[in-house]
């Protein structure tokens, strides 16, 4: 009987507790710490959510139906943003700005009315990781190397096309020149033939001319 009760309680806890989420951010930047309720019917008068850092440090308390001052550690004052329009949708995420080294650690979002809690592990980096920086430099270097290659790939076909067009024009010009020369040589030959044939000696005409002179 005790074992059955233990199994039931354990099953309920499993459904209520979310797995830990890990997020990363950089010094001086901002980060979104997610927290959402699994319940659909959220009412303003029942919403009571507490954000805690490393177990006890008060980050922000979301109690929209209360007029009491928000419970908050002085280190987090004016650095936490919430999303009131999302409360009824069960979204109790917060945004932490102007990050510092001391902001790293575990954040717990406890939703009182549903006994849910979410844990978020925040890792703070000095800046963008060296690997990402090196990757960016490599991508820029690849772009610088690929740009001349791209220009060559574009210009080479154009230059080849221009050379082919020039060769075709030169070939056609030479062909026309040869044709004109051949035609000119034919006219000269024909003229020479006509002239030579007209100046040939005709013995009949010569004899008649001599006879007329004798008479």
């Amino acid at each position: 009987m005790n074992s059955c009760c233990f199994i039931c309680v354990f099953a309920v806890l499993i459904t209520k507790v979310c797995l830990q989420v890990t997020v990363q951010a950089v010094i001086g930047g901002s980060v979104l710490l997610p927290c959402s309720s699994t319940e659909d019917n959220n009412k303003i008068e029942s919403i009571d959510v507490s954000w805690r850092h490393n177990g006890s440090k008060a980050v922000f308390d979301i109690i929209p139906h209360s007029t009491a001052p928000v419970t908050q550690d002085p280190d987090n004052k004016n650095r936490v943003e919430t999303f009131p329009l999302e409360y009824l949708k069960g979204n109790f995420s917060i945004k932490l700005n102007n990050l510092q080294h001391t902001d790293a650690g575990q954040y717990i979002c406890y939703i009182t009315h549903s006994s849910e809690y979410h844990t978020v592990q925040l890792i703070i980096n000095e800046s963008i990781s060296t690997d990402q920086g090196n990757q960016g430099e490599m991508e820029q270097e690849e772009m610088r190397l690929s740009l001349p290659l791209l220009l060559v790939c574009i210009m080479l076909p154009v230059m080849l096309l221009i050379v082919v067009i020039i060769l075709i024009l030169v070939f056609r010009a030479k062909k026309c020149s040869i044709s004109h020369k051949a035609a000119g040589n034919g006219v000269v030959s024909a003229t020479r033939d006509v002239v030579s044939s007209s100046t040939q000696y005709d013995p009949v005409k010569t004899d008649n001319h001599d006879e007329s002179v004798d008479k």
Side-chain angles (χ1 to χ4, degrees):
M1 181 69 179
N2 291 333
S3 60
C4 292
C5 292
F6 175 77
I7 293 173
C8 292
V9 171
F10 183 74
V12 171
L13 290 175
I14 289 294
T15 58
K16 293 295 184 180
V17 177
C18 294
L19 295 175
Q20 178 173 286
V21 176
T22 301
V23 295
Q24 297 188 33
V26 296
I27 294 293
S30 301
V31 67
L32 182 69
L33 304 179
C35 178
S36 299
S37 174
T38 58
E39 293 189 359
D40 297 330
N41 298 323
N42 292 285
K43 299 178 181 180
I44 291 294
E45 59 271 15
S46 63
I47 293 175
D48 189 345
V49 180
S50 301
W51 275 95
R52 295 294 181 266
H53 179 210
N54 290 335
S56 60
K57 191 175 182 179
V59 180
F60 199 90
D61 286 346
I62 300 175
I63 312 175
H65 57 84
S66 175
T67 57
V70 174
T71 304
Q72 190 176 32
D73 189 273
D75 291 340
N76 295 316
K77 190 175 181 179
N78 299 324
R79 295 200 302 130
V80 179
E81 293 182 31
T82 61
F83 309 94
L85 297 178
E86 297 291 322
Y87 292 165
L88 293 179
K89 299 177 183 178
N91 183 5
F92 307 111
S93 304
I94 62 173
K95 183 179 180 182
L96 190 59
N97 300 314
N98 192 21
L99 295 174
Q100 306 167 7
H101 282 292
T102 54
D103 292 326
Q106 188 183 68
Y107 288 79
I108 297 178
C109 170
Y110 183 70
I111 306 173
T112 304
H113 67 277
S114 62
S115 299
E116 295 179 74
Y117 71 88
H118 303 257
T119 59
V120 182
Q121 186 69 29
L122 175 60
I123 299 174
I124 302 293
N125 300 318
E126 290 289 343
S127 59
I128 298 175
S129 66
T130 305
D131 292 339
Q132 291 179 350
N134 292 336
Q135 184 177 0
E137 292 178 359
M138 290 177 63
E139 290 177 354
Q140 292 179 359
E141 184 66 22
E142 289 178 357
M143 289 181 64
R144 286 195 294 267
L145 293 175
S146 62
L147 183 58
L149 182 61
L150 180 61
L151 292 176
V152 171
C153 293
I154 294 175
M155 294 301 296
L156 187 59
V158 175
M159 294 177 66
L160 289 176
L161 181 60
I162 293 174
V163 170
V164 170
I165 292 174
I166 292 174
L167 290 176
I168 292 174
L169 293 176
V170 170
F171 177 75
R172 292 185 64 181
K174 287 184 177 180
K175 187 175 181 181
C176 291
S177 177
I178 293 171
S179 299
H180 287 311
K181 287 182 180 179
N185 292 334
V187 172
V188 172
S189 299
T191 304
R192 289 178 179 175
D193 292 340
V194 171
V195 172
S196 60
S197 62
S198 62
T199 56
Q200 287 181 354
Y201 174 73
D202 190 353
V204 177
K205 290 183 179 181
T206 304
D207 293 340
N208 293 334
H209 178 71
D210 293 339
E211 289 178 359
S212 61
V213 170
D214 292 338
K215 292 179 180 182

